[in-house]
Amino acid sequence: MKTPIVLAAFGTTTRAMDTYSFIDRICAERFPEHPIYWAFSSRIVKERSSGRKNDIRMQHPCQVLSELKQEGYDWAVVQSLHLMCGHEFFRLLEEVRECDIRTSMGLPLLNQPEDYYEIADIFIREFSTDDDEALVLVGHGTDHPGWCSYVALDHICRRKAPAGLYVGVVEHGHPTMDSVIRELKRAGYKRARLVPFLLVAGMHFAKDMSGAGDSWKRAFEAAGISVSLEDRGIGFNRSVIRLFCQHIEDALEVIP
């Protein structure tokens, strides 16, 4: 039997299933001989989604892995769909360690330096802007020591694209919204395109990035910078999912 692949996401109750279905299709194309399963670490999301009709069962990682063990599998790849190594990724590791089946972990999107450079290349290549428009990747942020992943990505983006590509976070840590606005004004930008650096453009996009209240859009406009918004998360970006698939390949390679 070919090693099963478990795609493990935190989960979200907003606009998620279309994104997950897209990811599922790309992974199935890349690994046609490997059965693919889904797991979600958010208990609240699982409870809220239990009555919905969709193609993906809302189960926690240990539920999925226990069923695979009962079906006779000795190994499974668990691919984290987190963007960096923060609280949720390490909670996933702890949960997977409690399962009876042997597992090989596929690491989050941003792990080794090559991942950061690849992500920078993807956005430089696929989100062209005019000389007077900045591209800003807006991530979630975290109070985990892994917050520095966003700073590292910003640093690499600025080296790859000396003008025009910035990174910020909506909560916890750096680079902050205010610091990004200061950088854009210092560089003379009058326009900015905000791109959710989130797997799913859900609540944080609707409220923190584009909302009518205290949002990034309002703050940029108040600073004299006009804003356009991408309304899809990076889970709909085929090149990003291919990078996740490379992490799956890496996890498969270590299984005897």
Side-chain angles (χ1 to χ4, degrees), residues 7-252:
L7 302 176
F10 175 71
T12 176
T13 56
T14 308
R15 302 181 62 184
M17 288 306 158
D18 288 345
T19 303
Y20 297 150
S21 295
F22 177 81
I23 295 171
D24 192 80
R25 290 196 300 272
I26 301 303
C27 292
E29 291 170 5
R30 180 74 170 266
F31 305 100
E33 297 182 355
H34 295 264
I36 294 175
Y37 300 84
W38 281 80
F40 301 90
S41 58
S42 171
R43 189 170 303 278
I44 293 176
V45 168
K46 180 178 180 293
E47 291 171 353
R48 290 181 181 177
S49 304
S50 60
R52 298 180 182 179
K53 294 181 179 179
N54 55 67
D55 296 330
I56 297 173
R57 295 174 66 196
M58 302 296 287
Q59 293 183 297
H60 278 269
C62 263
Q63 290 178 290
V64 177
L65 293 171
S66 293
E67 290 183 4
L68 292 176
K69 180 67 173 179
Q70 292 171 8
E71 292 174 17
Y73 289 103
D74 295 320
W75 278 88
V77 164
V78 178
Q79 175 58 51
S80 161
L81 292 181
H82 304 99
L83 303 191
M84 40 81 69
C85 296
H87 291 298
E88 295 303 327
F89 173 67
F90 286 104
R91 289 189 185 110
L92 174 64
L93 285 181
E94 291 173 4
E95 182 166 358
V96 167
R97 287 194 191 103
E98 299 300 318
C99 302
D100 291 335
I101 192 171
R102 299 184 73 180
T103 55
S104 177
M105 181 64 66
L107 295 172
L109 184 70
L110 297 175
N111 179 55
Q112 55 190 354
E114 291 80 5
D115 297 334
Y116 290 80
Y117 283 101
E118 178 62 24
I119 287 297
D121 285 338
I122 288 170
F123 284 97
I124 292 168
R125 181 174 67 245
E126 299 186 14
F127 288 85
S128 60
T129 59
D130 298 329
D131 291 340
D132 64 343
E133 182 182 46
L135 183 67
V136 182
L137 310 183
V138 184
H140 184 280
T142 179
D143 59 359
H144 186 273
W147 65 267
C148 55
S149 293
Y150 295 103
V151 177
L153 180 61
D154 181 63
H155 174 73
I156 288 171
C157 285
R158 303 287 286 281
R159 291 189 65 183
K160 297 283 288 185
L165 182 55
Y166 300 81
V167 177
V169 297
V170 297
E171 60 183 49
H172 301 306
H174 301 275
T176 65
M177 179 181 68
D178 290 341
S179 70
V180 174
I181 290 174
R182 285 196 299 270
E183 290 286 343
L184 265 61
K185 288 182 70 67
R186 185 179 297 119
Y189 285 105
K190 299 295 185 182
R191 298 189 298 135
R193 186 189 306 185
L194 304 184
V195 178
F197 190 66
L198 306 160
L199 196 70
V200 178
M203 178 191 69
H204 286 295
F205 173 79
K207 179 181 178 182
D208 298 308
M209 287 182 63
S210 61
D214 186 19
S215 68
W216 281 60
K217 182 176 185 294
R218 285 295 184 90
F220 273 62
E221 290 172 343
I225 302 171
S226 64
V227 170
S228 62
L229 288 153
E230 297 290 331
D231 64 355
R232 282 188 164 188
I234 62 173
F236 269 117
N237 186 298
R238 186 176 288 265
S239 297
V240 170
I241 305 311
R242 285 174 180 157
L243 183 53
F244 275 121
C245 287
Q246 183 56 56
H247 291 191
I248 295 173
E249 292 273 13
D250 294 341
L252 285 168

